[in-house]
Amino acid sequence: MTDYLTMTDPGYDTERRGYNLSVEHRPAVVVPAASVDDVIDAVGHAAAHGLGVAVQATGHGPSLSADGQVLITTSRLDGISIDPHARTARIEAGVRGGALVRAAAEHGLAPLNGSSPEVGAVSYHLGGGLGILGRSLGWAVDHVRAIEIVTADASGHVELRRVTATRHPDLFWALRGGGKGTYGVVTALEIDLHPITRLYGGGMHFAADTAERALATWAQWTRSTPEAMSSSVLLIRMPDLPALPDALRGRYLLQVRFAYTGSAEAGEQLVRPFRELGPITDTVTEMPYTAVGTIHAEPTTPVPFHARNTMLASLDTAAVMELLHHAGPNADAPYLVELRHTGGALNRPGAVPSALARRDGQYVLYAGAAAEPAQLPALRTAFTRLFTAMKPWSTGGVCVNFLSGPDISATELATGYLPGDLDRLAAVKRAVDPQDVFRIHHGRA
């Protein structure tokens, strides 16, 4: 029997909250789905009562509040089935990236996972999936073979569909990159796996007085690195917390992160320019692929997080200096900044077309911060200053995969797509969800 939690039930508050607490909501009903039948029942309840449906796996990417609506949580749908001969995995809606990496590694395989082991693997794929192996293998969305989704038609009939490139092809196109939670509740994906078991990877921290040289070196270096090398840069003032090592605690730092699928010997040669700069920490080494989550080592404690991003077409000397002006050691920026190198296979179209067809950037510029409501006006002003200043190097588009939080607008979201594709996405929405049951998503923000 499907559980329905209301505001007076024990467990309601725990179930409705996710990792990103920036969207505070009080749904009329929270359904902790333990089976596909639970999802079907919850969607039917929503359709019958004129309510909207929101979906939450880990809660990393909320955008709209589900106040007064139905929230379906999928963390209990955590099944993983590996076919080592076909090199595929079937993953249910609540599977996290780290669990998928570990399951695939038992067969000498790896998925196109993201940087955080705690992010939901299904929502990550549906959002595009900018992964650790992206420069050599492309977007994760290009490696989705089949999608299982619960939809609701004009009469309120609810059904589970299996969607592929040949079965419901328009919906298959739209679901891959075209909006998480927009067309129905995805309960499982079938995805490709790859014969990768190890990496040469890790990170190096640089002190404030080396930050400019390190960032300039990275910007120049990325123009010629092979596609087997993925990298990113983090600019951050670390909190003054006793749990942090003395070398990092309370200091402004620039961290360069590396993930290279070539040999350790070749990798060592590639990262030598950074070692010559004298990092204060250096964890770059040969590692099993199961340790990939340690490269970014992203926090796991729930916080109210706010962020913005844009794709950059280039990162020349002037761009480096402008970025350091706003987010460098002397800027006292109220946010962290991350730059991820894209290019390579991430700029090429997938074998099967998807809604994620705008692929024109060479870097993702991302800024984010944990902030309470009283801090938001100042943070938003600081974001605007940064992204206005970096506009000369921007493609004008966003990385859809990194959008989250209540500040996302439909106009901003639209810049992540090709213009003609927006009309096609809208047509699929009208055909698949004519009652607009699934209306709590980025496109409505």
Side-chain angles (χ1 to χ4, degrees):
M1 182 176 178
T2 305
D3 289 332
Y4 285 76
L5 301 178
T6 62
M7 294 182 191
T8 58
D9 290 324
Y12 171 86
D13 280 337
T14 300
E15 198 69 26
R16 70 183 173 87
R17 290 195 175 105
Y19 167 76
N20 189 346
L21 304 178
S22 66
V23 175
E24 176 69 17
H25 54 194
R26 292 193 172 275
V29 175
V30 180
V31 182
S35 68
V36 173
D37 285 343
D38 287 345
V39 175
I40 292 172
D41 191 65
V43 173
H45 173 86
H49 292 84
L51 300 174
V53 171
V55 188
Q56 178 173 289
T58 63
H60 278 74
S63 57
L64 283 187
S65 166
D67 282 352
Q69 310 300 312
V70 175
L71 174 65
I72 301 174
T73 60
T74 62
S75 60
R76 292 164 183 77
L77 298 173
D78 58 359
I80 303 174
S81 300
I82 306 291
D83 184 336
H85 301 291
R87 294 181 180 171
T88 61
R90 180 184 178 274
I91 55 174
E92 294 184 345
V95 170
R96 296 180 183 235
L100 174 58
V101 167
R102 293 189 294 272
E106 293 179 7
H107 304 278
L109 300 168
L112 266 74
N113 58 287
S115 55
S116 170
E118 296 302 310
V119 168
V122 166
S123 54
Y124 159 82
H125 277 78
L126 295 175
L130 176 56
I132 294 292
L133 305 177
R135 280 179 41 80
S136 57
L137 294 174
W139 296 88
V141 76
D142 296 332
H143 298 268
V144 174
R145 295 190 175 197
I147 301 170
E148 297 170 30
I149 181 172
V150 174
T151 60
D153 66 15
S155 66
H157 173 69
V158 179
E159 67 173 320
L160 175 67
R161 305 190 197 193
R162 180 175 171 83
V163 180
T164 68
T166 57
R167 187 175 184 183
H168 310 297
D170 283 345
L171 182 55
F172 188 64
W173 172 86
L175 283 168
R176 293 174 305 123
K180 296 174 283 187
T182 304
Y183 306 98
V185 181
V186 173
T187 57
L189 297 181
E190 182 182 314
I191 61 172
D192 293 324
L193 300 175
H194 306 273
I196 296 171
T197 60
R198 40 72 60 196
L199 286 173
Y200 185 74
M204 299 181 193
H205 283 100
F206 295 89
D209 59 1
T210 317
E212 181 179 331
R213 281 185 292 157
L215 183 56
T217 298
W218 183 77
Q220 178 68 33
W221 177 82
T222 54
R223 295 172 201 166
S224 59
T225 51
E227 292 183 3
M229 172 64 82
S230 292
S231 65
S232 63
V233 168
L234 177 70
L235 294 83
I236 186 172
R237 185 168 297 279
M238 298 293 285
D240 188 5
L241 298 175
L244 293 173
D246 289 342
L248 308 181
R249 180 178 172 182
R251 300 180 66 179
Y252 180 92
L253 299 167
L254 182 145
Q255 184 188 26
V256 186
R257 291 85 68 97
F258 308 92
Y260 180 59
T261 55
S263 70
E265 293 76 16
E268 187 174 355
Q269 292 296 317
L270 281 167
V271 305
R272 179 173 292 177
F274 298 95
R275 288 199 164 117
E276 291 174 349
L277 294 175
I280 58 176
T281 72
D282 182 350
T283 64
V284 184
T285 188
E286 180 81 358
M287 63 172 62
Y289 196 79
T290 50
V292 66
T294 65
I295 296 175
H296 284 238
E298 293 175 354
T300 59
T301 302
V303 291
F305 202 77
H306 300 261
R308 285 185 61 183
N309 81 78
T310 190
M311 301 296 296
L312 301 182
S314 63
L315 190 66
D316 59 19
T317 300
V320 168
M321 298 310 296
E322 189 66 34
L323 180 59
L324 289 171
H325 174 71
H326 291 272
N330 300 318
D332 198 26
Y335 47 72
L336 61 82
V337 164
E338 184 181 58
L339 285 163
R340 295 202 186 193
H341 186 206
T342 56
L346 293 165
N347 287 152
R348 297 193 286 269
V352 179
S354 72
L356 194 75
R358 181 168 187 180
R359 303 181 177 200
D360 54 355
Q362 295 299 312
Y363 305 87
V364 182
L365 170 62
Y366 173 94
E372 299 299 334
Q375 300 169 306
L376 282 179
L379 179 61
R380 287 168 178 154
T381 298
F383 280 161
T384 297
R385 283 198 298 264
L386 171 65
F387 286 94
T388 300
M390 297 303 294
K391 193 172 182 179
W393 298 276
S394 172
T395 66
V398 295
C399 178
V400 175
N401 201 189
F402 286 166
L403 291 178
S404 66
D407 293 335
I408 302 167
S409 68
T411 300
E412 180 184 25
L413 175 64
T415 67
Y417 300 100
L418 298 179
D421 288 343
L422 294 173
D423 291 337
R424 185 177 175 187
L425 286 167
V428 174
K429 172 68 172 175
R430 290 191 297 271
V432 174
D433 182 25
Q435 290 196 80
D436 200 20
V437 174
F438 307 99
R439 54 182 178 265
I440 305 167
H441 53 77
H442 287 341
R444 285 292 174 80

